[in-house]
């Protein structure tokens, strides 16, 4: 059995050479005589591992000195609460842009925690298939919030809103290190690791020092206070040691492949190739509007997704989608089933997916279209 091309939205494929290195070091890491999985997080052997992971984040993302890099748990979903609890501690008011499932969840969480949420723009009118243009955000807000890349809808901001003195928070779970990003434009950035960084289990948080408050909203648990983790170098409690070790290795792989610039070049080549095919054939089409398209997540439909709600049309659409996903898997292209909210298929083409993988997928798509036209 050889390795498949894995188009999963997350957890997703990791660079093969990283997996091989992890395998080689599984029983004995260096001269320690133990696996990284077995080490105390406070040991001399582990200290350089987490220090290197942090240093690599700082280097590759060009993180300014006045920001902390934290490795937390609870997934990106826990950040929906942490952001509200820690940043919403002054006026209790925040601006959110609603671009789909993940921003909706963040909005719901902030509201639950008593934040007065202003949804200042939304793309719900068109099923979230585009990013609304909000060049400037002004108002009496503790923070403004965006989801930079929308994993499910396959949309991505091609601009960063100007927010003046209002700290801008961005969920970058599905686009972290996919191309260069100016960290200094943000107050907080966070990303679940399980797409571009590592296996699941760690959340990367990059936060500007002045936003690390002693006084989050009343009742905020210790574990949900950024200061707890910032003061203890992400070691307040046991961190996800092994995941952080893999993250470090992935970042060295990113560096070897040209850093954020190298990833951007590689990702544009892959995405351009796939969108170009989707835009120039009469069997498939991309769902996200041009000018808002994700480099990482590419949802697409076939000509059988007509929007017609009659039983025969719905059945035909389902039959073709199921057939595509099944035949693709048999041919070695897995996890292409679209999210139920968009339907059809979705190819997630994160950093570790090669250009060859995307090219091979397009060849498969051509054959499938020919056989089912
Ligand atoms: C953009 C985005 N934000 C948040 C999440 C939730 O992440 P987690 O499962 O780590 O809580 C996801 C998961 O896919 C995501 O794609």
């Amino acid at each position: 059995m050889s390795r498949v091309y894995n188009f999963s939205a997350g957890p997703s494929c990791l660079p093969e050479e990283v997996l091989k290195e992890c395998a080689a070091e599984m029983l004995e890491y260096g001269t320690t005589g133990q696996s990284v999985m077995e080490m105390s997080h406070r040991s001399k052997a582990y200290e350089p591992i987490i220090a290197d992971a942090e240093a690599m984040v700082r280097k590759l993302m060009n993180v300014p000195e006045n920001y902390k890099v934290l490795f937390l748990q609870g997934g990106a979903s826990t950040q929906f609460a942490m952001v509200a609890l820690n940043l919403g501690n002054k006026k209790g008011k925040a601006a959110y842009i609603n671009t789909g499932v993940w921003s909706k969840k963040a909005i719901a969480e902030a509201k639950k925690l008593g934040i007065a949420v202003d949804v200042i723009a939304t793309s719900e009118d068109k099923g979230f298939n585009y990013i609304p243009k909000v060049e400037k955000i002004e108002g009496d807000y503790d923070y403004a919030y965006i989801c930079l890349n929308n994993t499910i809808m396959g949309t991505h901001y091609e601009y960063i809103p100007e927010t003046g003195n209002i700290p801008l928070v961005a969920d970058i779970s599905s686009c972290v290190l996919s191309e260069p990003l100016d960290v200094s434009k943000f107050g907080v950035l966070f990303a679940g690791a399980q797409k571009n960084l590592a296996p699941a289990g760690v959340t990367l948080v990059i936060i500007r020092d002045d936003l690390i408050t002693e006084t989050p909203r009343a009742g905020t648990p210790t574990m949900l206070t950024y200061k707890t983790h910032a003061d203890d170098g992400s070691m307040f409690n046991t961190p996800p040691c092994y995941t952080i070790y893999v993250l470090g290795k992935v970042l060295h792989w990113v560096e070897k492949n040209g850093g954020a610039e190298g990833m951007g070049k590689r990702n544009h080549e892959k995405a351009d190739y796939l969108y170009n095919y989707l835009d120039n054939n009469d069997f498939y089409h991309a769902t996200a509007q041009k000018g808002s398209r994700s480099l990482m997540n590419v949802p697409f439909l076939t000509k059988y997704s007509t929007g017609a709600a009659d039983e025969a049309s719905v059945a035909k659409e389902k039959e073709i989608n199921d057939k595509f996903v099944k035949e693709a898997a048999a041919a070695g292209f897995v996890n292409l089933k679209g999210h139920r909210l968009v339907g059809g298929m979705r190819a997630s083409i994160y950093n570790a997916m090669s250009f060859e993988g995307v090219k091979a997928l397009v060849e498969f798509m051509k054959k499938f279209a020919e056989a089912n036209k």
Side-chain angles (χ1 to χ4, degrees), residues 121-156:
T122 174
S123 48
E124 195 151 17
D125 58 330
K126 296 211 171 89
F128 298 112
N129 72 356
Y130 72 104
I131 297 292
K133 198 90 185 147
V134 185
E135 265 153 21
K136 206 166 188 171
I137 302 178
E138 289 169 308
D140 201 19
Y141 299 119
D142 282 336
Y143 63 93
Y145 183 103
I146 60 172
C147 178
L148 200 62
N149 187 78
N150 295 275
T151 323
I152 294 172
M153 308 304 171
T155 58
H156 180 80

Side-chain angles (χ1 to χ4, degrees), residues 22-34:
C22 294
E25 292 174 350
M26 181 57 76
L27 288 181
E28 290 171 39
Y29 177 75
T31 55
T32 65
Q34 54 188 308

Side-chain angles (χ1 to χ4, degrees), residues 154-166:
T155 58
H156 180 80
Y157 283 74
E158 293 205 345
Y159 70 99
I160 308 290
E162 197 52 61
T163 59
N165 288 331
I166 307 169

Side-chain angles (χ1 to χ4, degrees), residues 53-271:
E54 178 183 335
M56 288 305 289
V57 172
R58 289 192 171 277
K59 185 173 180 185
L60 294 176
M61 293 185 72
N62 206 7
V63 178
E65 291 258 313
N66 60 326
Y67 285 71
K68 294 277 179 299
V69 170
L70 307 177
F71 298 117
L72 306 185
Q73 294 183 71
S77 300
T78 298
Q79 292 309 305
F80 302 160
M82 281 185 82
V83 162
L85 289 167
N86 289 265
L87 270 65
N89 64 337
K90 295 184 191 80
K91 300 157 194 155
K93 201 172 161 199
Y96 280 72
I97 299 181
N98 179 12
T99 50
V101 171
W102 298 112
S103 49
K104 268 190 177 174
K105 289 200 178 193
I107 289 167
E109 193 72 351
K111 283 185 178 167
K112 191 172 175 184
L113 294 165
I115 303 289
V117 170
D118 269 356
V119 178
I120 55 167
T122 174
S123 48
E124 195 151 17
D125 58 330
K126 296 211 171 89
F128 298 112
N129 72 356
Y130 72 104
I131 297 292
K133 198 90 185 147
V134 185
E135 265 153 21
K136 206 166 188 171
I137 302 178
E138 289 169 308
D140 201 19
Y141 299 119
D142 282 336
Y143 63 93
Y145 183 103
I146 60 172
C147 178
L148 200 62
N149 187 78
N150 295 275
T151 323
I152 294 172
M153 308 304 171
T155 58
H156 180 80
Y157 283 74
E158 293 205 345
Y159 70 99
I160 308 290
E162 197 52 61
T163 59
N165 288 331
I166 307 169
L168 180 60
V169 176
D171 176 353
I172 55 168
S173 293
S174 48
C175 61
V176 58
L177 272 172
S178 60
E179 60 183 340
L181 182 68
D182 183 353
V183 173
S184 72
K185 290 211 156 93
F186 299 87
V188 178
L189 290 167
F190 67 86
Q194 63 272 21
K195 301 160 198 304
N196 264 345
L197 298 177
V202 71
T203 311
L204 172 67
V205 175
I206 302 174
I207 179 167
R208 213 172 61 210
D209 286 341
D210 60 292
L211 300 172
I212 302 174
T213 179
E214 301 247 6
T215 52
R217 287 172 75 79
T220 300
T222 309
M223 277 295 286
L224 297 189
T225 302
Y226 286 124
K227 191 162 191 311
T228 305
H229 303 286
D231 284 354
D232 256 330
S234 302
M235 290 274 198
F236 173 75
N237 69 324
T238 316
C241 305
Y242 194 78
T243 308
I244 293 169
Y245 153 83
V246 183
L247 180 144
K249 287 200 178 292
V250 170
L251 296 187
H252 282 283
W253 175 87
V254 168
E255 186 178 42
K256 259 198 267 166
N257 286 279
E261 283 80 12
M263 289 298 115
K265 185 168 176 288
R266 172 185 166 99
N267 289 327
H268 276 283
E269 278 166 11
K270 291 184 302 189

